[in-house]
Amino acid sequence: TTDDYDINTTGLDVTAVDIGYNFQCALFEDDSMRCWGDNNYGQRGIGNTTNSNYPTDNVSFRPNTGTPVAMAVVRESGPSYNTKAVCALMTTSEVYCWGDENTAYVGIGSGMCENNPSECPHGLLAPSLPVDFSNMAQVSSIYPSKSQNTLVCAVHIDGSASCWGERADYQLGDGGNSRSGVVYVPTPVHNPGVGDIIQMAVSKRYTCALIEDGEVYCWGWNEQGALGDGTACFDGTFENNCNGDGYKP
């Protein structure tokens, strides 16, 4: 709910919304994207860190990058409860992310803007370089974390999926044997071979994927049976597929 005034001062119909912490984004009928609220990390995507109470400024997409068709507003669940990064899926099937100077969240590789300042005229305060999906199929949808660990996942048109950001709790689903650190570019999600992935959900410490045949696979932290596979694991236990070991999903 909102206060009893209209947040839409543009006169345009809104076609989609996504919410972070003290921060929101919307797509409009003229194919623009606008964000408002807290802008400490440049998550409004306008090239500065100025806060705004209204959707007054379009996200500064670079020329010839298409128009946004979907959004992913990343939100941490604590202790800071910040929105540090925002991503947009474009009509070109490219994905652009911006916000936190920690480039792991934006999927372009470590130091890319620092090493290519002409390609990032506003640093990460606005969309600059597309997410690096090298050797992967085009993206059909994107999914942000709204949780403790900061990551973004994408589903591809060939039924595969990829994630990037924090590796904590094995939430990336790439079969890696580390539960710490970050991944700076998308890494493929291990698909158990049961069918195409068509949708994902990124929760507090685990991730789930909906498969085309209606099955759901989850991986990550399994305390209190969160993965839904009939097992329940104690905090700090990793054997027998507990808490997101390398064999999940």
Side-chain angles (χ1 to χ4, degrees), residues 49-224:
T49 55
T50 302
N51 297 341
S52 176
N53 294 331
Y54 297 98
T56 54
D57 301 293
N58 290 349
V59 173
S60 300
F61 293 107
R62 301 180 69 181
N64 303 316
T65 57
T67 57
V69 295
M71 303 169 293
V73 176
V74 177
R75 174 182 174 177
E76 293 181 345
S77 65
S80 61
Y81 293 95
N82 289 318
T83 291
K84 291 186 176 180
V86 178
C87 298
L89 173 63
M90 312 299 285
T91 50
T92 60
S93 295
E94 289 185 316
V95 176
Y96 287 83
C97 301
W98 59 92
D100 196 310
E101 62 184 11
N102 183 343
T103 53
Y105 303 153
V106 298
I108 61 175
S110 178
M112 286 298 293
C113 280
E114 293 86 345
N115 297 330
N116 301 276
S118 64
E119 294 295 318
C120 302
H122 301 291
L124 295 175
L125 302 180
S128 295
L129 298 170
V131 174
D132 183 8
F133 292 104
S134 297
N135 303 314
M136 297 183 189
Q138 290 183 332
V139 174
S140 58
S141 54
I142 52 177
Y143 303 90
S145 60
K146 304 284 188 180
S147 59
Q148 179 171 327
N149 303 324
T150 302
L151 65 152
V152 184
C153 294
V155 172
H156 301 263
I157 60 173
D158 63 354
S160 64
S162 60
C163 298
W164 64 97
E166 292 188 63
R167 192 188 284 277
D169 302 320
Y170 303 96
Q171 205 171 345
L172 292 183
D174 61 350
N177 58 6
S178 172
R179 60 185 295 262
S180 62
V182 296
V183 173
Y184 287 93
V185 295
T187 182
V189 170
H190 170 69
N191 190 323
V194 295
D196 291 348
I197 294 173
I198 61 174
Q199 188 176 336
M200 299 182 72
V202 185
S203 187
K204 183 176 181 180
R205 300 175 77 177
Y206 57 94
T207 304
C208 295
L210 173 63
I211 309 300
E212 61 180 344
D213 64 358
E215 291 188 318
V216 175
Y217 283 76
C218 298
W219 58 94
W221 196 258
N222 195 31
E223 188 178 8
Q224 300 178 357

